[in-house]
């Protein structure tokens, strides 16, 4: 029997294909590598996989610059390889989501090659073109998130084109209905092929202000953001006109109308705006996206107060939609290092999995998170990420979280038979899948045990959430359905904590975690301890 709304409460395992497993000896991971490890992924107890871009691309931004939305880049394999991944995943009970990048493409895409030739060709209005100001400068003050001005001059047309990211990622003009129809048709291509849903990259970026108005300046003290640092000129503006435009809502409704034609297909939107939580609530409704996630827990602040404030703020706004949480992905420093520092231990790695998987919503777990991988140290001379090269050394880019998946302790960590596209981290070799499979107390065994246990806790899968007052450094909340009420508690510090007058009742055995004890109504939480108990009080 088909489970309706499979994505609700699902744990989605993110695969960054370049770094997962190389089967053809070119130093880059591929789709056959994913196929070879699907049994391993299924053994974790996750519900779905999300595969980052594998489409035809010159790889200026490692696949997020797409030259053909409907084909596989030879670096990763073939469409037949993808079909085999899809078939085996479904056989194993895994749903398959793939990345879709609607807002832009590659300069190598045929659409842009045609558009840039002149102002009268059939694709002339498929991208955001604008005349220079009288002095030859760009049309407005918009900045690229990857550094510098968001406009590049095209002499063949005598105009500038817009790019919110790299200048090799031209912005599509969604004010043109033909562009919208073409991108919806690209989504349909993959739905017809059998995918179960999409992770929609930068989904608040498709539309721009048709009047090309200047963004207002942002005061120095407010120059912070998610996914960029204060020294990035992108942080110097409020991005009112180059993204998160009202017209995006109509596009999302068109996407949902398409998805609703396919049995239980789901869409997860990545949202990074001036107020990401408000935008997430606006974008995730019964007529728009099924789920949304932001960068709000992909930050350096891991305090109980911050996590509570963030989740409560989204809960207050997201009255109709469904949240999705992530604390690691291919764009940010790995959570074990970001929240635990250079010497974080396995207890933290285990707790972080339990924490993100206990919040209300679905979850994205990034490959290697189940191993407790720390951020890899990639020297500048080995750096591949153009974002990191631009802002080095203040921002070292995204390569430290993109290094190869360690399968064993050999020189190449079992990833490839040749030198990998990024260096294999020695710290990661020590935490390989093979090593952890052989160690019963490993992060891998703990993650696997917790995820399997979570599957039979309805309150954690679907229940409402309400936070409780708790001692310093302790995060506590009630998850509740009609059939189950649980009080979930995390000691976020490296010191033992006592909670006198603890309101929970019977402690549940939480497999794989550093668990707590109760004596005389006092909860004793070890460092990074986890407690889950039945609850009869007021949430």
């Amino acid at each position: 029997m088909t489970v309706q709304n499979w994505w609700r409460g699902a744990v989605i395992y993110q695969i960054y294909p370049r770094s997962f497993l190389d089967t053809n000896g070119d130093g880059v991971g591929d789709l056959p590598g994913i196929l070879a490890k699907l049994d391993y992924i299924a053994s974790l107890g996750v519900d779905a996989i999300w595969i980052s871009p594998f489409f035809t691309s010159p790889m200026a931004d490692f696949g997020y610059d797409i030259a053909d939305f409907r084909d596989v880049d030879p670096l990763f394999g073939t469409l037949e390889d993808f079909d085999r991944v899809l078939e085996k995943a479904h056989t194993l009970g895994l749903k398959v989501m793939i990345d879709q990048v609607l807002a832009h493409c590659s300069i190598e895409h045929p659409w842009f090659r045609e558009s840039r030739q002149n102002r009268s060709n059939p694709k002339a209005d498929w991208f955001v073109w604008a005349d220079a100001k009288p002095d030859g400068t760009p049309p407005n003050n918009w900045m690229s998130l990857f550094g510098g001005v968001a406009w590049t001059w095209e002499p063949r047309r005598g105009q500038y084109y817009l790019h919110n990211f790299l200048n090799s990622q031209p912005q599509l003009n969604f004010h043109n209905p033909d562009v919208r129809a073409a991108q919806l048709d690209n989504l349909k291509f993959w739905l017809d092929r059998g995918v179960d849903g999409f992770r929609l990259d930068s989904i608040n970026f498709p539309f721009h202000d048709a009047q090309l108005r200047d963004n207002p300046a942002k005061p120095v003290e407010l120059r912070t953001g998610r996914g960029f640092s204060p020294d990035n000129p992108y942080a110097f503006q409020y991005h009112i006109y180059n993204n998160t435009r009202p017209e995006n809502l109509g596009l999302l409704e068109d996407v949902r109308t398409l998805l609703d034609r396919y049995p239980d297909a789901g869409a997860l939107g990545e949202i990074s705006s001036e107020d990401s939580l408000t935008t997430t609530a606006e974008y995730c409704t019964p007529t728009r996206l099924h789920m949304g996630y932001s960068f709000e827990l992909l930050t350096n602040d891991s305090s109980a107060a911050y996590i509570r404030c963030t989740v409560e703020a989204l809960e207050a706004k997201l009255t109709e939609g469904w949240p999705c949480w992530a604390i690691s992905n291919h764009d940010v420093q790995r959570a074990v290092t970001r929240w635990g520092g250079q010497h974080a231990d396995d207890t933290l790695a285990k707790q972080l999995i339990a924490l993100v998987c206990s919040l209300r919503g679905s979850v994205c777990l990034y490959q290697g998170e189940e191993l407790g991988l720390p951020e890899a140290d990639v020297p500048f001379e080995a750096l591949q990420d153009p974002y990191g090269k631009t802002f080095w050394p203040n921002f070292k880019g995204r390569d430290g979280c993109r290094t190869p998946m360690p399968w064993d302790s050999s020189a190449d960590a079992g990833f490839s038979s040749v030198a990998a596209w990024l260096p294999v981290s020695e710290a990661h070799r020590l935490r390989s899948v093979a090593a952890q499979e052989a160690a019963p107390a490993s992060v891998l065994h703990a993650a696997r045990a917790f995820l399997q246990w979570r599957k039979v806790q309805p309150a954690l899968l679907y229940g409402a959430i309400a936070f409780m007052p708790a001692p310093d450094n302790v995060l506590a909340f009630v998850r509740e359905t009609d059939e189950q009420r649980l009080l979930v508690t995390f000691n976020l510090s490296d010191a033992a904590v006592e909670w006198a007058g603890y309101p929970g009742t019977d402690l549940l055995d939480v497999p794989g975690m550093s668990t707590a004890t109760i004596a005389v109504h006092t909860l004793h939480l070890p460092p990074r301890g986890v407690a889950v108990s039945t609850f009869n009080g007021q949430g």
Side-chain angles (χ1 to χ4, degrees):
M1 185 177 74
T2 301
V3 177
Q4 292 301 305
N5 295 341
W6 64 264
W7 42 267
R8 193 177 290 272
V11 177
I12 304 163
Y13 186 85
Q14 182 195 352
I15 299 171
Y16 192 69
R18 293 184 68 88
S19 299
F20 198 61
L21 179 65
D22 169 26
T23 62
N24 65 353
D26 63 359
V28 176
D30 44 48
L31 290 174
I34 296 173
L35 181 69
K37 295 297 184 180
L38 282 174
D39 289 295
Y40 163 78
I41 296 170
S43 79
L44 298 175
V46 301
D47 303 289
I49 58 173
W50 145 31
I51 309 176
S52 291
F54 50 83
F55 315 107
T56 306
S57 168
M59 300 295 162
D61 191 23
F62 301 106
Y64 284 91
D65 52 319
I66 297 172
D68 187 339
F69 288 95
R70 299 189 183 194
D71 204 357
V72 174
D73 194 282
L75 190 68
F76 298 124
T78 65
L79 271 173
E80 290 71 27
D81 288 327
F82 176 77
D83 290 340
R84 283 189 279 272
V85 169
L86 192 65
E87 181 181 9
K88 182 170 181 179
H90 286 163
T91 299
L92 292 169
L94 294 170
K95 301 292 186 180
V96 177
M97 303 184 80
I98 62 173
D99 248 309
Q100 291 288 280
V101 186
L102 299 185
H104 57 259
C105 64
S106 165
I107 55 172
E108 298 299 324
H109 196 292
W111 294 346
F112 188 72
R113 286 183 166 182
E114 183 174 357
S115 186
R116 75 190 312 177
Q117 293 304 316
N118 53 59
R119 302 188 189 190
S120 58
N121 65 77
K123 297 292 190 293
D125 193 34
W126 277 49
F127 294 85
V128 183
W129 296 99
D131 294 332
K133 289 181 178 178
D135 63 359
T137 55
N140 61 26
N141 70 348
W142 296 352
M143 305 300 291
S144 161
L145 194 144
F146 283 179
V149 175
W151 297 93
T152 292
W153 180 253
E154 172 50 71
R156 280 166 282 195
R157 287 183 57 131
Q159 286 183 307
Y160 283 97
Y161 68 87
L162 175 66
H163 50 89
N164 283 299
F165 299 92
L166 296 175
N167 64 2
S168 55
Q169 295 170 298
Q171 178 75 18
L172 284 155
N173 177 20
F174 274 80
H175 290 284
N176 183 334
D178 292 337
V179 171
R180 297 199 299 275
Q183 287 294 55
L184 287 168
D185 203 41
N186 285 331
L187 296 182
K188 184 178 184 298
F189 172 85
W190 293 103
L191 289 166
D192 288 341
R193 211 162 192 96
V195 302
D196 302 291
F198 302 115
R199 181 266 192 184
L200 299 171
D201 184 71
S202 303
I203 194 55
N204 53 306
F205 275 82
F207 276 91
H208 67 285
D209 174 49
Q211 299 178 52
L212 301 181
R213 287 171 283 188
D214 281 348
N215 282 327
K218 183 178 285 188
V220 174
E221 66 275 10
L222 297 179
R223 290 178 183 174
T224 59
R226 307 290 185 244
F228 53 91
S229 56
D231 64 339
N232 184 339
Y234 189 83
F236 294 16
Q237 299 177 354
Y238 290 102
H239 294 278
I240 294 172
Y241 294 116
N242 65 310
N243 63 59
T244 324
R245 301 298 300 157
E247 298 94 334
N248 279 335
L249 299 179
L251 173 65
L252 299 182
E253 288 162 4
D254 289 344
V255 169
R256 182 58 173 265
T257 297
L258 171 64
L259 287 166
D260 284 346
R261 290 162 49 189
Y262 294 81
D264 211 27
L268 167 63
E270 179 206 31
I271 298 160
S272 179
S273 66
E274 293 293 342
D275 184 349
S276 294
L277 297 180
T278 296
T279 305
T280 300
E282 189 176 31
Y283 281 22
C284 298
T285 74
T287 61
R288 295 169 189 163
L289 300 181
H290 302 86
M291 302 175 284
Y293 90 92
S294 69
F295 283 63
E296 298 306 308
L297 291 185
L298 300 172
T299 61
N300 292 330
D301 192 342
S302 61
S303 66
Y306 176 77
I307 295 171
R308 174 176 178 168
C309 177
T310 299
V311 176
E312 286 187 326
L314 183 61
E315 288 291 325
K317 296 172 180 179
L318 194 68
T319 56
E320 297 180 294
W322 185 252
C324 185
W325 297 105
I327 57 173
S328 282
N329 69 15
H330 64 290
D331 281 334
V332 298
Q333 187 181 48
R334 285 188 176 271
V336 168
T337 302
R338 199 174 72 248
W339 285 2
Q342 294 299 318
H343 304 292
D345 62 17
D346 286 352
T347 309
L348 170 64
K350 296 173 184 178
Q351 185 192 59
L352 291 182
I353 290 171
L355 173 56
V356 73
C357 291
S358 296
L359 299 174
R360 188 182 85 94
S362 302
V363 183
C364 289
L365 286 183
Y366 180 47
Q367 65 185 46
E369 212 167 340
E370 77 278 14
L371 304 176
L373 296 186
E375 182 80 352
D377 185 16
V378 180
F380 181 78
E381 58 271 19
L383 212 64
Q384 302 293 323
D385 182 14
Y387 195 9
K389 290 178 181 179
T390 298
F391 288 98
W392 183 279
N394 294 340
F395 172 64
K396 296 185 178 182
R398 302 164 293 179
D399 287 341
C401 65
R402 296 178 174 183
T403 55
M405 182 79 171
W407 296 104
D408 61 37
S409 57
S410 62
D412 64 6
F415 168 75
S416 178
S417 59
V418 300
W421 75 286
L422 282 173
V424 174
S425 166
E426 178 61 29
H428 290 186
R429 261 195 291 267
L430 299 174
R431 294 173 173 269
S432 72
V433 171
Q436 295 202 33
E437 290 282 16
S442 68
V443 178
L444 174 58
H445 281 295
R448 189 178 279 143
F450 181 84
L451 292 177
Q452 295 290 357
W453 175 81
R454 178 182 179 270
K455 285 179 178 291
V456 295
Q457 309 301 327
L460 295 185
L461 294 175
Y462 315 116
I465 190 169
F467 285 83
M468 299 281 290
D472 290 345
N473 300 318
V474 172
L475 184 71
F477 48 84
V478 175
R479 297 296 310 280
E480 178 179 4
T481 62
D482 291 341
E483 56 192 308
Q484 186 181 44
R485 297 185 80 203
L486 299 178
L487 174 56
V488 187
T489 306
F490 298 93
N491 174 9
L492 301 184
S493 74
D494 294 322
V497 172
E498 291 188 349
W499 183 351
Y502 175 68
T505 50
D506 297 327
L507 285 174
L508 279 63
D509 180 24
V510 184
M513 299 298 131
S514 179
T515 53
T517 58
I518 297 177
V520 196
H521 302 295
T522 297
L523 180 70
H524 298 269
L525 280 164
R528 297 287 174 185
V530 179
V532 179
S533 68
T534 54
F535 182 69
N536 299 319
Q538 296 296 313

